[in-house]
Amino acid sequence: MTTSVTTETLANGRTYTHRTAAHCETGVTSALFFDKGLNLSEPMIFGIGSGIFFGHLPFIKWTGLPITTFRSMPGLVFKKTAKRLNAKIYRKRFHSPQKGMDELRCVIRTGQIAAVTTNVYWLSFFPRRARFNFSGHNFIVLYENENGFRISDPTLLEYTTDCSAYDMERARFARGPMEARGLMYYPIYVNPNPDIRKACITGMLDTCNQMLKIPIPLFGVKGMRYVARKIIKWPEKLGYVEACRQLAHILRFQEEMGTGGAGFRYIFAAFLQEASELFGSKELNELSNEMTVIGDTWREFAVVSSRIIKQRKSKREETFDKAGGLMLICAGKEEQLFKDLRDVISTLKT
Amino acid sequence: MKINEVPQDDLPQYYEGIKKGNYAVDDNGKYVMVPSKGWDVDELVNRMACDEYHAALEETRKAVLAGQKSPLAYYMELRQLIPKFLGKTAGIATFRVKRHLRPGIFAKLNDSVLDKYAKALAITREELKTVPQNSYER
């Protein structure tokens, strides 16, 4: 898991080890728990916190287009993981930026590392082309130094970096859709030997319910079908160029934002694999392989869509029907997978 | 996805040398994290969004120079805001922000209101009164 390691000394002399991750929130949660003496990998956190999801939110606009998410709400993974592992956590939002910054300084001065949720636009260490107004990036603040703050961003960088106090305040308190309002969180106490099997089962059951049982056709497997049918109708309804624009927007959520590939489907497959080792269950391993196949189908959807977008001015070889069809296939396969997973869970023992 | 299928497209101008984590299966069927240099599908959709942003910004800049919009509209778009969120950042009601996007009304604003906008947009008061003559990146 650890591809590159950098160590930092915290305010109270403890050592912090930077580890890279594929997704910001799970990476941060994994690092926070590791700092408290509980070593869980990123996929494991992702599974226990029920990170995998699908949702289409036409009523929340981001750069003018509806949000299609492949994961649960930002912030929920940490909350759920902590609850299922019986960890005590501190988690707070602030009305006043001044108070939020003071509180952060107070906490890191004691040598406790804290995670903050930020808006990417205001972070100057980000690549310029990735800086869009999106409030949902998490990283860990280690200590204060002459440039502002020393931070560890598990998704983006292979090393720790500096972030100025101005950037930090603007990023934490930026206004916009899904604003973070200075959200800051860290575990206070973590049980070093929690019941991981029980936590895994709770996490997997919750995942199945999220994907199958939400009675609104915008979420879970139903949401996938809804979006897929919409994609097929787009070229007629919106015109070819606008349809391409919307399709590209979905792809950005699937691939661009630190998903570990195929909209988190590969991370979840990695989780199922780890869980199969934990429970010694062959069925879970088979499901993991099945999830990998689904991930590959999502990748194919991305490739087909990108071909549609590339040829938007010339002759058409790939069609929206094909892209939407691939998504329908994904929906069907995922529905079967989560139903199977639910059956497998009932045979597992804690 | 196998390790050798993890895309390693060379796109230095896109992600500035930063690698993304990708989960992939190794030869023994075990999942590992593999850093990816970049994928052209990623780059394509990001380029589309960037181009769209720059094109809209350029259009607004020309509209300001032509006297159809106030410079506030340009800087609002530069910071990727809409009147609702610019208003919240600056502490000014949304309907007032929308009014201030009209050049005639913007020209009559007093310094205290301009300062609020300048602070919210992270520019100086002087900068806020004009737009750059040439288009520029961020």
Side-chain angles (χ1 to χ4, degrees), chain A residues 52-56 68-71 210-212 216-232 250 254 262-263 265 291 294 298 301 323-338:
Chain A
I52 201 166
F53 188 52
F54 185 92
H56 182 70
T68 306
T69 176
F70 286 79
R71 59 149 185 202
Q210 275 183 9
M211 292 301 288
L212 300 172
I216 301 168
L218 298 174
F219 302 113
V221 175
K222 289 187 210 120
M224 272 181 228
R225 296 217 168 94
Y226 174 78
V227 175
R229 289 195 192 106
K230 256 173 87 167
I231 290 177
I232 295 171
I250 293 183
Q254 188 191 325
R265 268 56 192 166
M291 200 72 213
I294 294 173
W298 278 109
F301 165 74
L326 277 169
M327 208 160 171
L328 281 176
I329 294 173
C330 289
K333 279 185 182 169
E334 284 196 20
E335 182 168 22
Q336 192 54 45
L337 179 126
F338 286 111

Side-chain angles (χ1 to χ4, degrees), chain A residues 2-8 16-21 124-127 137-143 149-163, chain B residues 15-20 33:
Chain A
T2 44
T3 44
S4 124
V5 171
T6 352
T7 51
E8 290 278 348
Y16 170 82
T17 314
H18 178 77
R19 307 194 292 178
T20 53
S124 41
F125 61 87
F126 247 69
H137 185 67
N138 299 277
F139 57 76
I140 298 175
V141 186
L142 301 176
Y143 55 84
F149 294 94
R150 192 76 177 162
I151 64 157
S152 151
D153 189 329
T155 349
L156 198 66
L157 303 170
E158 289 170 336
Y159 40 83
T160 54
T161 188
D162 282 338
C163 176
Chain B
Y15 231 52
E16 298 171 16
I18 289 168
K19 288 178 182 169
K20 281 184 190 180
M33 201 176 86

Side-chain angles (χ1 to χ4, degrees), chain A residues 89-307:
Chain A
I89 57 164
Y90 171 96
R91 191 171 182 279
K92 203 171 172 192
R93 295 179 197 269
F94 300 89
H95 279 297
S96 126
Q98 189 56 45
K99 267 187 192 161
M101 294 305 280
D102 287 349
E103 182 75 21
L104 178 67
R105 287 201 174 90
C106 264
V107 168
I108 55 176
R109 230 168 256 153
T110 63
Q112 168 66 51
I113 56 173
V116 289
T117 305
T118 51
N119 186 312
V120 181
Y121 183 88
W122 294 98
L123 299 174
S124 41
F125 61 87
F126 247 69
R128 195 170 44 79
R129 280 175 61 179
R131 282 171 68 183
F132 275 89
N133 212 331
F134 170 70
S135 301
H137 185 67
N138 299 277
F139 57 76
I140 298 175
V141 186
L142 301 176
Y143 55 84
E144 237 181 320
N145 63 10
E146 63 283 357
N147 298 329
F149 294 94
R150 192 76 177 162
I151 64 157
S152 151
D153 189 329
T155 349
L156 198 66
L157 303 170
E158 289 170 336
Y159 40 83
T160 54
T161 188
D162 282 338
C163 176
S164 73
Y166 178 77
D167 278 4
M168 180 80 89
E169 187 171 328
R170 286 306 300 249
R172 285 181 69 199
F173 292 94
R175 307 302 296 260
M178 307 188 301
E179 54 198 31
R181 300 210 311 281
L183 177 65
M184 168 177 141
Y185 55 90
Y186 56 84
I188 297 167
Y189 165 78
V190 176
N191 182 352
N193 299 306
D195 191 347
I196 294 179
R197 281 168 162 246
K198 201 178 151 200
C200 273
I201 289 178
T202 323
M204 285 191 279
L205 261 180
D206 189 25
T207 305
C208 294
N209 287 343
Q210 275 183 9
M211 292 301 288
L212 300 172
K213 282 201 171 165
I214 298 181
I216 301 168
L218 298 174
F219 302 113
V221 175
K222 289 187 210 120
M224 272 181 228
R225 296 217 168 94
Y226 174 78
V227 175
R229 289 195 192 106
K230 256 173 87 167
I231 290 177
I232 295 171
K233 283 183 202 150
W234 273 345
E236 280 176 26
K237 207 176 153 194
L238 304 169
Y240 204 70
V241 174
E242 176 65 18
C244 285
R245 194 169 152 245
Q246 300 245 0
L247 195 60
H249 197 64
I250 293 183
L251 285 194
R252 294 190 71 194
F253 282 99
Q254 188 191 325
E255 296 298 339
E256 209 196 344
M257 301 168 179
T259 64
F264 302 101
R265 268 56 192 166
Y266 289 134
I267 302 191
F268 193 71
F271 161 71
L272 288 176
Q273 191 173 60
E274 267 192 51
S276 83
E277 280 161 29
L278 183 73
F279 288 101
S281 155
K282 263 189 198 155
E283 289 92 344
L284 280 179
N285 203 13
E286 277 161 22
L287 286 178
S288 162
N289 295 338
E290 183 55 30
M291 200 72 213
T292 311
V293 175
I294 294 173
D296 291 343
T297 318
W298 278 109
R299 280 302 254 220
E300 203 188 327
F301 165 74
V303 173
V304 167
S305 306
S306 78
R307 282 198 201 120

